Amino acid sequence: MVSRETLVHLGSVLAALSLLVVSGWLFPALDGSLLVFVYLCYHALIFGGAHAYFAWRGEAGTVPVPSRWRFLWALAAWIVLGVVGALGPDWTVQGVPTDAVMAGLGVVVLLGYWLLEAQDGYRSSRPT
């Protein structure tokens, strides 16, 4: 029997694939900024669709609800950093290009997410 989480994951993947098909049908010649937007929405649906559904409903399943919210916040930060890095102006900060700054901030978000997940996992595994 297929679990409920698997069905929700399949639904989010189908929504993401539908986004690609519909955007390709509506905009046959995707240009830079629209292509980046569709690409980021696709990945947000693939990676965060099921987490958003279960977090919004408050259902833990195999992943605790606070962990789902943390992942969604990290995913939102990565999407914003991706938009700024891809569509933002080509500035340099102390001689470092904007793309490199956004990539560095993305690594900081990733490490912060891992640290919070490890801390929460450790706290939940300790005897009370």
Side-chain angles (χ1 to χ4, degrees):
M1 189 161 129
V2 178
S3 73
R4 184 161 180 263
E5 287 192 22
T6 302
L7 291 175
V8 173
H9 282 288
L10 285 174
S12 65
V13 168
L14 287 175
L17 292 174
S18 299
L19 171 74
L20 288 181
V21 170
V22 169
S23 63
W25 178 65
L26 290 176
F27 309 103
L30 288 175
D31 63 342
S33 60
L34 187 58
L35 183 62
V36 169
F37 177 74
V38 169
Y39 174 79
L40 290 173
C41 288
Y42 170 79
H43 280 83
L45 281 171
I46 291 288
F47 292 115
H51 286 297
Y53 175 80
F54 286 118
W56 188 264
R57 292 182 54 97
E59 298 178 20
T62 58
V63 179
V65 174
S67 182
R68 291 187 190 275
W69 283 115
R70 278 191 297 271
F71 178 78
L72 290 171
W73 281 111
L75 183 63
W78 289 321
I79 288 172
V80 168
L81 291 172
V83 167
V84 171
L87 302 178
D90 292 330
W91 291 343
T92 58
V93 178
Q94 296 293 330
V96 180
T98 308
D99 295 343
V101 172
M102 295 303 119
L105 288 173
V107 169
V108 168
V109 169
L110 178 67
L111 293 175
Y113 169 72
W114 282 344
L115 179 67
L116 289 173
E117 284 298 311
Q119 182 182 24
D120 190 49
Y122 174 73
R123 285 184 181 159
S124 67
S125 69
R126 289 181 46 191
T128 55

